[in-house]
Amino acid sequence: MLRFVWLLPTGLIAACLAPEPPVAEPVCRPETISPAMLGIGPLEFAPQSVQAQVQEDSATGRFGITIQLDEDAAWSVATLTREQLGQPIELRLDEDVIASPVVHTPILDGRILISGDFTRFAATEIVERLAPPCLPDAAALVE
């Protein structure tokens, strides 16, 4: 079981245990899309510290974003969220705020779910900006 942190429509964060998510295909950033830094409060993380995926809630049809931070980033977020209990914390993509949830429990395992009223397109756009660059097609390299 995993701990997920949900951003509720009220702007609150709630933690719960959830079953393992389905395996999703890896996402990469096309050349035409600029990379972005993930900001959580005063912290910033480069794409190599973040694995993000689009998540669809089958019950509501709404889309969210799951984020898994690497070990160092997860430790930093755990420290920050312990200190920020009961306070709002900004989640940013570069300088753009994508959510401002209230921290109700520390995020100790580096797993974050940002839910809300994202369209599939908007969620995919965020995930692609946080993804590593796509590798060239292997067949094209051989030619």
Side-chain angles (χ1 to χ4, degrees), residues 6-133:
W6 300 88
L7 171 62
L8 305 173
T10 59
L12 302 176
I13 279 188
C16 65
L17 294 178
E20 289 286 336
V23 175
E25 292 189 28
V27 175
C28 65
R29 185 181 69 251
E31 288 181 17
T32 57
I33 296 178
S34 62
M37 298 286 282
L38 174 66
I40 302 175
L43 306 174
E44 288 193 342
F45 304 104
Q48 63 266 25
S49 297
V50 178
Q51 290 181 352
Q53 297 176 335
V54 173
Q55 179 83 29
E56 181 178 8
D57 183 335
S58 59
T60 65
R62 293 182 176 174
F63 293 90
I65 301 160
T66 59
I67 297 174
Q68 175 64 59
L69 302 171
D70 70 15
E71 190 175 329
D72 291 337
W75 183 86
S76 297
V77 168
T79 301
L80 176 68
T81 56
R82 280 189 194 106
E83 296 168 354
Q84 298 292 319
L85 286 175
Q87 298 177 40
I89 192 167
E90 284 186 346
L91 302 176
R92 297 177 315 283
L93 198 61
D94 288 333
E95 299 301 318
D96 300 324
V97 176
I98 58 174
S100 294
V102 173
V103 179
H104 287 285
T105 57
I107 301 170
L108 302 177
D109 60 4
R111 293 183 186 269
I112 302 167
L113 173 63
I114 306 168
S115 63
D117 290 327
F118 292 107
T119 63
R120 179 188 301 266
F121 178 80
T124 300
E125 191 174 53
I126 291 169
V127 166
E128 285 178 340
R129 291 194 61 205
L130 292 171

